[in-house]
Amino acid sequence: MAAQAAPAAATPPSPWSTVARAVVLLTAIVSVMLIAFAWPSVRASVHDVPIAVAGPAAAAERIRTALDLRLPDGFEITEVADTAAAERLIRDREVYGAIDVSSGTPQVIIASAGSAAVAQTLQGVAAALGQAQAPGAGPAAAVRDLAALPADDPRGAGLAAGALPLVMAGLLAVLLLTRLVSGTARRVTGALAFAITGGLAAAAILQFWLGSLTGSYWANSGAIALTIAATALSILGLEALFGLVGFGLGAVTMMLIGNPLSGTATAPEMLPGWSGVLGQLLPPGAGGQLLRSTAFFDGHGATHPVTVLAAWLTVGAMLCLAGGLRARRGPAVGARHVRTAAPPHSYAPATPRG
């Protein structure tokens, strides 16, 4: 009779110290995530937001004084001579809006597609402009939207909500490619191919279904594809060079730093301190600004975000190349070491049979 296999020994329970360490680690993780996502939103405010003031110097100075009283240090003001110059700055994405007193009757020019939050702030300022022109008299200034959000998405919710899925798409691409595909060249090719197809799909959803985007579909697709590619290749390169630690570093950078500091829901200038500037140097922030440029401003203001995304894409490709070279060199060095350490074979002449 065949002997029966002994039942496997039950795994002993973990010590309570292990449970305590797990609880502490989970508490730290949720605290960091809460700070990363909540801090920029709670501390967001209007500070150094670039706007233009059009009109005579004396009238522009009265507007500047009124704005400083209402929102100290809230705006960075560029004075221009007339309405056309102010509109040109808005369309070129050098300012978010303008206060126009060149014709005597004040009006506020906004660009809600550039930032719905800043546009709302300027609409609030418009109510006080009559008194800023002549104390105690005058109606609220008229408001004109030079670059309006689409009628199907007047609050820009689709663009703001789409930032996180695009970051997660880059992470998911790396996760699947590193698990299912072998070879650095094939992984990079897969990431770039997914960036193209993902860009086409995401732009189609946002533009044709949700109505959150306008402008050229192909330009919008390219902006999204470049964002996904920059995110995926940079994380893929870190993973190729440093393994799981590199993947974790890339995920934390994009998810817990890049996404909350992207300024897509408000504006980079409204984020606290230096965080808005940092956010524009990471793919989520640069990608959001690029998509606004292609969708609503005919590509104006796209130079900086394209440069940032191209830099991340290039660095990611170089890291992938370095990781691939090291992976190929490792087995070659190991095989050479085995050949050197092996004793040489001795060959004895065959003894003839008599």
Side-chain angles (χ1 to χ4, degrees), residues 89-180:
L89 290 178
I90 295 173
R91 289 195 176 96
D92 290 344
R93 302 204 68 194
E94 296 184 24
V95 298
Y96 283 94
I99 300 173
D100 184 10
V101 291
S102 59
S103 61
T105 303
Q107 69 169 332
V108 174
I109 308 173
I110 63 175
S112 57
S115 171
V118 174
Q120 184 177 4
T121 300
L122 289 176
Q123 287 176 354
V125 170
L129 280 183
Q131 294 187 358
Q133 285 293 103
V143 177
R144 180 163 60 93
D145 199 339
L146 190 63
L149 286 163
D152 290 338
D153 188 8
R155 296 176 300 161
L159 184 61
L164 181 59
L166 293 183
V167 175
M168 294 178 65
L171 295 176
L172 181 61
V174 176
L175 187 62
L176 290 181
L177 289 170
T178 53
R179 295 298 179 271
L180 302 179

Side-chain angles (χ1 to χ4, degrees), residues 1-2 4 45 56 83 98 106 113 135 153 166 176 193 198 204 231 262 298 313 316 327:
M1 181 176 178
Q4 295 182 347
S45 63
T83 305
D153 188 8
L166 293 183
L176 290 181
T231 303
S262 66
D298 296 325
L313 186 64

Side-chain angles (χ1 to χ4, degrees), residues 153-245:
D153 188 8
R155 296 176 300 161
L159 184 61
L164 181 59
L166 293 183
V167 175
M168 294 178 65
L171 295 176
L172 181 61
V174 176
L175 187 62
L176 290 181
L177 289 170
T178 53
R179 295 298 179 271
L180 302 179
V181 178
S182 299
T184 302
R186 286 171 172 77
R187 290 177 178 178
V188 171
T189 302
L192 294 177
F194 165 69
I196 295 173
T197 58
L200 292 170
I205 293 171
L206 290 173
Q207 188 158 350
F208 300 132
W209 182 20
L210 301 179
S212 299
L213 302 178
T214 60
S216 168
Y217 165 70
W218 301 107
N220 295 336
S221 300
I224 297 175
L226 183 57
T227 303
I228 295 176
T231 303
L233 251 69
S234 56
I235 300 176
L236 190 63
L238 288 171
E239 195 279 337
L241 207 55
F242 304 110
L244 186 59
V245 173

Side-chain angles (χ1 to χ4, degrees), residues 25-96:
L25 178 60
L26 290 171
T27 304
I29 291 174
V30 74
S31 300
V32 170
M33 292 181 65
L34 181 61
I35 293 172
F37 283 91
W39 173 66
S41 300
V42 173
R43 293 289 184 259
S45 63
V46 178
H47 56 86
D48 296 326
V49 173
I51 65 170
V53 174
E61 185 59 32
R62 287 197 297 270
I63 295 297
R64 184 189 293 270
T65 301
L67 292 177
D68 285 340
L69 290 174
R70 183 179 179 86
L71 292 170
D73 301 322
F75 299 101
E76 181 181 307
I77 297 175
T78 300
E79 296 185 12
V80 294
D82 52 27
T83 305
E87 291 181 350
R88 183 168 57 252
L89 290 178
I90 295 173
R91 289 195 176 96
D92 290 344
R93 302 204 68 194
E94 296 184 24
V95 298
Y96 283 94

